[in-house]
Amino acid sequence: MPEPRVLSLGAGVQSTTLLLLSAEGRIPRYDVAIFADTGWEPSAVYAHLDRIEREIARPAGIPIQRVRVGNIRDDALDPAHRFASMPLFVRKRDGTRGMARRQCSAEYKIRPIREALRTLLGAKPKANGRPGPPPRGRTAVQSIGISRDEVIRAKDSGVSYSRHEFPLLDLDGAADGRPGWTRADCVRYLRRNGFGQTPRSACVGCPFRRNDSWRALRDTDPHTWADAVEFDRAIRHGSARANAAGHPLDGKFYLHPSCVPLDEAPIDRVTRGEWADRQTNLFDAIADTEAGLTDEIGCSPFTCRADLFEELP
Ligand code: SF4
């Protein structure tokens, strides 16, 4: 049977570029694009997803499948729900700072995409209703939007039924003439095609947001900012389920690395990372600024940018 071609659609710059390239016929056509919804993306991401479905995917005959295992915000505050740990900052009782282990992208993004993939390949549901392994020998090509500047994140799938490919790394036509497109090449391409405002995809309350991203949220979307501030307050004493089970947190959780409440955090400070990006990657910074994008760290299912996050101050 033919190997289905599946786009992992984070709805950020790189995966939107792949969708558009496929719709234009510059890369082979996708059979389906899968978007894993954590339930807590900013409204700009959902609006963008609706738009690319309407204006790119549907006319090209590429279905967008939205998959979801829950709502990361509500689940974190629900005493009856297992807490798929977000990378929250912790100030421990002894004053030291740390970060909670991150399980959220595996739980809310990778897991539902892989389940959809196995179903697509003909897997039968198990007793718990989740798809089992696909029939022997059936595989899919999973296309991941990794640009040349982040080639280090190009990794094998780690499962036998999925083979990762990274089409942006093979494209010609980059501004510097080298093989493979950078993120700035993608932004330019999107701008030429009327999608210059493509947002970066990440949960509203993702602790990986940098100061510029928090500032943008506060200054442009007060309602969503208030939601993040409220969540930051609600998560302060640990997961609702752990507390209900009598296992209180040894310290306090925060969304901001300064470990102060989000609405008091020093988000107006331009961080080392912001300066470094502006200086070492001026071309990208200009392209981003022109496109109205910030330097926030997006969270695509298979290209977590956690390693870009600055170390704790
Ligand atoms: S955006 Fe942040 S909080 Fe959301 S799944 Fe990714 S790492 Fe977790």
Side-chain angles (χ1 to χ4, degrees):
M1 296 187 75
E3 203 175 35
R5 291 179 48 73
V6 178
L7 171 63
S8 172
L9 181 65
V13 166
Q14 285 93 338
S15 65
T16 300
T17 298
L18 287 181
L19 182 68
L20 192 50
L21 286 167
S22 175
E24 281 190 336
R26 288 181 66 174
I27 60 174
R29 195 172 151 283
Y30 294 118
D31 296 300
V32 62
I34 303 180
F35 173 79
D37 185 4
T38 66
W40 201 25
E41 294 275 351
S43 53
V45 172
Y46 293 116
H48 175 72
L49 183 64
D50 289 345
R51 184 179 169 215
I52 60 178
E53 181 169 37
R54 199 173 53 243
E55 297 182 19
I56 304 174
R58 215 173 281 150
I62 302 170
I64 291 183
Q65 185 178 354
R66 303 177 192 220
V67 293
R68 180 166 164 164
V69 295
N71 178 305
I72 193 170
R73 182 197 196 285
D74 295 349
D75 294 349
L77 302 179
D78 179 357
H81 200 284
R82 187 177 73 81
F83 181 50
S85 180
M86 293 166 65
L88 296 158
F89 295 96
V90 192
R91 186 186 289 281
K92 297 187 190 148
R93 254 190 272 267
D94 64 8
T96 58
R97 280 181 286 179
M99 189 179 234
R101 196 157 61 95
R102 182 175 55 87
Q103 302 168 319
C104 46
S105 46
E107 178 84 10
Y108 287 88
K109 295 193 172 183
I110 295 175
R111 187 185 122 193
I113 288 178
R114 289 209 166 135
E115 289 184 354
L117 210 54
R118 296 203 297 275
T119 301
L120 180 73
L121 292 172
K124 301 262 185 314
K126 296 188 290 187
N128 63 7
R130 292 169 60 182
R136 201 179 176 78
R138 287 227 62 192
T139 57
V141 176
Q142 207 173 352
S143 207
I144 316 284
I146 287 187
S147 47
R148 194 211 309 153
D149 41 307
E150 50 180 27
V151 66
I152 195 168
R153 293 185 187 82
K155 305 240 167 66
D156 288 343
S157 75
V159 293
S160 59
Y161 54 85
S162 167
R163 187 164 57 81
H164 282 181
E165 65 161 25
F166 311 98
L168 294 173
L169 301 180
D170 299 323
L171 290 175
D172 295 329
D176 60 8
R178 292 167 56 197
W181 281 15
T182 63
R183 185 171 184 281
D185 292 314
C186 295
V187 170
R188 274 188 289 274
Y189 170 72
L190 291 175
R191 289 175 65 198
R192 281 200 303 276
N193 286 280
F195 292 91
Q197 299 299 319
T198 299
R200 295 203 192 199
S201 161
C203 296
V204 167
C206 180
F208 287 147
R209 282 181 185 275
R210 298 199 317 201
N211 276 357
D212 51 352
S213 172
W214 287 124
R215 290 197 296 274
L217 201 62
R218 178 195 63 190
D219 298 342
T220 63
D221 190 349
H223 179 74
T224 306
W225 166 253
D227 186 33
V229 168
E230 172 54 33
F231 178 80
D232 175 63
R233 196 173 295 129
I235 202 75
R236 186 77 69 242
H237 298 289
S239 107
R241 178 153 178 186
N243 281 309
H247 305 297
L249 182 68
D250 176 26
K252 291 181 179 172
F253 275 151
Y254 296 87
L255 291 186
H256 193 269
S258 60
C259 289
V260 299
L262 186 57
D263 51 353
E264 299 168 27
I267 63 171
D268 286 306
R269 184 173 70 86
V270 177
T271 61
R272 277 198 316 273
E274 287 177 55
W275 282 119
D277 279 356
R278 288 178 191 186
Q279 285 160 7
T280 60
N281 212 353
L282 192 59
F283 204 50
D284 276 4
I286 291 169
D288 277 6
T289 305
E290 287 175 352
L293 302 173
T294 71
D295 286 338
E296 76 182 73
I297 297 171
C299 173
S300 294
F302 298 94
T303 60
C304 181
R305 290 154 173 87
D307 51 321
L308 287 179
F309 197 80
E310 292 165 64
E311 291 178 8
L312 286 174

